[in-house]
Amino acid sequence: MAAVAVPLWRRALTYGLLLAFAVWCVVGFRRDIAQIDLAPLEAGWIAIVGAAALSLWNYALRVLRWRLYLNRLGHVFPWRFVALTFMSGFAFTLSPGKLGEMVRGRYYQPKGLSMTQVTGAFFVERLLDLLAMIMLAAVVLAELQAYQSFLWLALGLVAGLLAAVALVPWPLVAQRLDRQPHGKLVKAIQSVAHMLANARQFLSPGILLTGLALGVMAWGAEAVGLKLLADAIEPGRISLFAAMGAYSIAIIVGALSFLPGGLGSTETVMTALLAAHGYTVAQAILLTLVCRLLTLWLAVLIGWICVWLLRDPRHL
């Protein structure tokens, strides 16, 4: 069957949106990098390399989890394809709630996966990442009294959504909606119902606990990266558990703010928590921005590289 030609206006709109988003990423990156004076870290380049390596380890563990989810959906893809498609979503990390990362679904549809299957896996992945952050932050809960409300809000949100996915018979709901007249609102609700129906298969104890364990290890690695950077400036001033708490609660607040990539909210909270542990404001700002450079912005860079590589049919 001949391929359907994509209208020129649609291609122009798609590439225009991609270009606009890329410009937004560059503007945000320049705003962060302009504030960094790396002089205090010049002797700590090993810590910077180590923190970057831990970020790459984070990505590797999350790719592994994503491949497990794809296998659960009945599709076994080559590692290179899974890694490139998963990390391509990082290019859109700066979208609110990281929802732009679901763009990776476009690579799976030609392979037989529906968008609701991909979004179902993405939905559970996001929930488990938030739960992993809560678990990492909980180790220093007593020190985070000013942010305990955010932790309880995040925990309530995760618990409520997981309960809703597990207890509501979403496959039956989706079937009933499929028989309804197809208005725009009904179609939107149908998509959500099918997404949640697909998400249920990731809540069996084995895959749920495996996904959570991988999430804790992945995000814990980036928190250890913050500890390495902090010790490069003032060795021993902040404990490993305190660094995990500071990193995790900052990411949680950023996620709940629903700002693109948590920009602004995450940096403010991380800086405040580092300052509360004895770092000067200048040191805390430096640590925060370098940490974000090696986590958020490194991911965005890798994401755009993967998007570019996936333009080659040999990688599909």
Side-chain angles (χ1 to χ4, degrees):
M1 185 174 64
V4 178
V6 179
L8 178 61
W9 69 267
R10 185 174 294 178
R11 283 185 290 169
L13 177 61
T14 300
Y15 288 117
L17 290 173
L18 287 174
L19 178 61
F21 200 85
V23 170
W24 163 252
C25 291
V26 171
V27 170
F29 174 76
R30 288 189 62 188
R31 189 184 303 122
D32 274 1
I33 200 69
Q35 301 177 62
I36 300 180
D37 176 12
L38 294 177
L41 279 174
E42 285 179 353
W45 62 270
I46 295 178
I48 294 176
V49 172
L54 287 168
S55 291
L56 295 177
W57 179 240
N58 168 290
Y59 309 152
L61 289 174
R62 290 162 64 195
V63 167
L64 171 60
R65 181 176 60 182
W66 185 249
R67 192 168 191 263
L68 291 176
Y69 287 173
L70 294 176
N71 291 350
R72 184 75 171 193
L73 291 170
H75 293 262
V76 180
F77 297 115
W79 277 104
R80 183 176 66 174
F81 176 75
V82 174
L84 288 175
T85 52
F86 178 80
M87 291 190 294
S88 69
F90 293 169
F92 304 93
T93 293
L94 295 186
S95 58
K98 299 188 178 182
L99 293 177
E101 289 191 18
M102 287 192 292
V103 73
R104 66 172 69 109
R106 68 187 292 266
Y107 301 114
Y108 295 106
Q109 286 179 299
K111 306 286 187 180
L113 274 171
S114 68
M115 186 57 104
T116 54
Q117 288 178 306
V118 176
T119 54
F122 176 81
F123 179 76
V124 173
E125 182 204 22
R126 291 286 87 201
L127 286 183
L128 292 186
D129 280 346
L130 187 53
L131 184 56
M133 288 293 187
I134 294 170
M135 293 173 65
L136 291 171
V139 298
V140 287
L141 188 60
E143 298 181 24
L144 300 173
Q145 294 183 6
Y147 299 96
Q148 285 185 9
S149 58
F150 287 100
L151 284 178
W152 287 114
L153 175 60
L155 183 59
L157 177 64
V158 172
L161 289 173
L162 286 176
V165 174
L167 299 177
V168 176
W170 291 109
L172 181 59
V173 172
Q175 289 176 10
R176 290 183 176 178
L177 286 171
D178 287 341
R179 294 194 292 266
Q180 300 299 317
H182 287 187
K184 289 184 178 180
L185 179 59
V186 173
K187 284 184 177 181
I189 298 174
Q190 281 176 336
S191 296
V192 173
H194 281 287
M195 177 194 75
L196 296 176
N198 282 296
R200 290 190 66 166
Q201 61 191 299
F202 303 109
L203 298 187
S204 61
I207 195 165
L208 179 66
L209 293 177
T210 300
L212 180 59
L214 288 171
V216 171
M217 289 189 291
W219 295 107
E222 289 197 348
V224 173
L226 176 60
K227 165 66 173 171
L228 291 179
L229 295 172
D231 282 352
I233 290 182
E234 289 282 347
R237 182 170 290 279
I238 188 171
S239 69
L240 175 60
F241 288 145
M244 285 185 174
Y247 181 80
S248 302
I249 193 63
I251 298 298
I252 290 170
V253 172
L256 294 179
S257 72
F258 217 68
L259 292 170
L263 287 177
S265 54
T266 297
E267 287 82 359
T268 299
V269 172
M270 192 179 296
T271 299
L273 289 172
L274 289 170
H277 281 87
Y279 291 93
T280 66
V281 173
Q283 289 174 331
I285 292 174
L286 171 63
L287 286 172
T288 296
L289 294 179
V290 173
C291 179
R292 294 289 272 170
L293 178 66
L294 298 177
T295 53
L296 172 68
W297 294 111
L298 177 60
V300 171
L301 173 63
I302 291 174
W304 281 110
I305 292 173
C306 291
V307 169
W308 183 78
L309 289 174
L310 286 167
R311 294 175 66 244
D312 187 339
R314 290 175 297 177
H315 296 298
L316 296 176

